Amino acid sequence: ASSLRSTGWRVAGSRQMWSCSTSAIGAGRSRSQDMPYLSTCVETGEGTASSLKPEWEELASKVKGFVKIAYWDTEKSGSAPGILGQIQGTPTIKLIRPKRKAKTNKQKDVVDYNMERKADDMSSFALDLMPSFVERVNGPEDFTKVKNKAKKFGLPMMLVFANDRRILNEMKFLSTEFRRRVLIAQIPFSKKENKNLFFEYGVRGQALIAVPPSETVEGEQGDLEDSNQRPKEFVYDGKWSLHRLQSFFAEHALATEVKPKPTEKAKAEEKGEKEQSEKKDRVKTEL
């Protein structure tokens, strides 16, 4: 198999490892394909699976909700899926995550893990490499760019006011889960250039504010920056848990992903491909 849609995977759970279907990893409607996966290839015949299992189970509890943990038994299930690349001995551990600059989350990067097979080390590796589409704000100029981007694509904004620059794992996850449905911007108080933004929004300490998309459309009222009206804002006042934050995002995010308008170059390429296809069809008809 060339993707994660392969039978034979096993997923680390709270107490056991169980066989999972093709939809459990990288497929299905649940957007599970958006989550990174830390996978390992093992051989039960050598006792590798049993020796790694305690660390694997502890790891699963440490990264629950953020990273899926799975393993592939090369003895029972045969050759590993092609997406994992070359396997040179077991256990081989790799992180599979959505590509940062890809148009969709279906395209993946695969990163080798070369540290100790300990739960703490593996969890740090997996969480640090979680994909993040959070915009960093380091002053008024950055904030203007974020607002313009949100207006351009008609996206609501999630403004994360934080004490420092460290991006929370919850926000990394939500930026992937709601990619192209909401624009997340982190505004750290540790950057002195951001202090006026805290004052402007009446924020002290950590806060999350949802800002609905502006009705201003690019080209209707000139420069995107020439809008002084601030839309109604919604302040999150719940517990900072992944489940509750996810519900807040779902309430204020767009129902569907926005699609960037094709560039002139892309349009020309599409037109050329269409003409070539029509030409081939005509040749077949004449023959």
Side-chain angles (χ1 to χ4, degrees):
S2 60
S3 70
L4 289 177
R5 296 177 179 230
S6 305
T7 56
W9 284 102
R10 292 175 181 269
V11 177
S14 57
R15 283 192 172 184
Q16 61 179 343
M17 296 184 183
W18 63 92
S19 296
C20 62
S21 66
T22 56
S23 63
I25 299 184
R29 296 181 180 178
S30 65
R31 294 181 64 85
S32 61
Q33 65 186 15
D34 301 347
M35 293 181 68
Y37 283 81
L38 191 66
S39 63
T40 185
C41 291
V42 299
E43 290 183 24
T44 50
E46 296 179 1
T48 313
S50 58
S51 63
L52 188 58
K53 183 176 178 179
E55 297 295 335
W56 214 233
E57 293 297 337
E58 183 181 346
L59 170 64
S61 66
K62 287 178 177 289
V63 300
K64 185 178 179 180
F66 301 122
V67 181
K68 292 285 187 182
I69 306 301
Y71 77 91
W72 181 277
D73 189 332
T74 56
E75 187 175 87
K76 289 185 177 180
S77 303
S79 299
I83 192 173
L84 294 178
Q86 188 174 5
I87 304 299
Q88 297 179 333
T90 56
T92 294
I93 300 176
K94 295 174 181 276
L95 178 74
I96 304 166
R97 60 178 182 174
K99 284 188 176 182
R100 179 69 176 84
K101 294 185 179 181
K103 292 182 179 180
T104 71
N105 289 332
K106 293 181 180 179
Q107 294 176 276
K108 307 294 184 184
D109 274 328
V110 180
V111 185
D112 291 323
Y113 176 79
N114 296 311
M115 295 187 289
E116 283 193 63
R117 271 61 171 163
K118 299 295 183 183
D120 286 341
D121 292 329
M122 290 190 289
S123 63
S124 296
F125 172 80
L127 294 174
D128 287 347
L129 290 181
M130 282 177 64
S132 173
F133 300 94
V134 177
E135 303 278 349
R136 294 180 182 271
V137 175
N138 295 316
E141 186 176 336
D142 286 347
F143 189 56
T144 296
K145 290 178 181 178
V146 169
K147 289 192 295 182
N148 288 347
K149 185 175 181 179
K151 288 178 182 178
K152 180 179 180 180
F153 294 106
L155 287 167
M157 292 190 298
M158 287 289 180
L159 305 181
V160 183
F161 291 88
N163 293 320
D164 54 46
R165 287 173 50 84
R166 183 178 63 88
I167 295 177
L168 297 175
N169 293 325
E170 288 83 357
M171 291 304 154
K172 290 181 184 179
F173 171 82
L174 292 168
S175 73
T176 306
E177 182 77 3
F178 292 91
R179 187 180 181 186
R180 301 187 187 279
R181 294 173 57 199
V182 69
L183 187 62
I184 307 176
Q186 177 151 320
I187 308 170
F189 188 76
S190 57
K191 293 290 292 185
K192 62 180 181 180
E193 295 87 348
N194 289 333
K195 292 184 179 180
N196 285 338
L197 291 174
F198 276 73
F199 178 77
E200 179 183 343
Y201 283 87
V203 171
R204 290 184 179 180
Q206 181 174 269
L208 174 63
I209 297 177
V211 182
S214 171
E215 295 181 358
T216 302
V217 179
E218 185 178 12
E220 286 186 359
Q221 298 183 15
D223 193 336
L224 291 174
E225 298 181 19
D226 295 336
S227 176
N228 296 319
Q229 293 184 341
R230 237 170 69 182
K232 183 179 179 181
E233 298 146 5
F234 300 88
V235 180
Y236 177 72
D237 59 1
K239 183 179 178 181
W240 281 63
S241 66
L242 181 59
H243 177 70
R244 294 189 181 183
L245 287 167
Q246 198 165 5
S247 297
F248 184 73
F249 270 67
E251 181 182 353
H252 297 287
L254 298 181
T256 57
E257 297 180 6
V258 296
K259 302 295 182 183
K261 294 180 180 179
T263 62
E264 292 301 320
K265 182 180 178 181
K267 287 180 181 178
E269 289 176 352
E270 185 179 352
K271 183 179 178 182
E273 290 174 0
K274 186 177 179 181
E275 289 174 351
Q276 287 291 332
S277 178
E278 290 175 350
K279 186 177 179 180
K280 288 180 181 178
D281 290 339
R282 283 198 301 271
V283 171
K284 288 179 181 179
T285 304
E286 290 172 0
L287 292 173

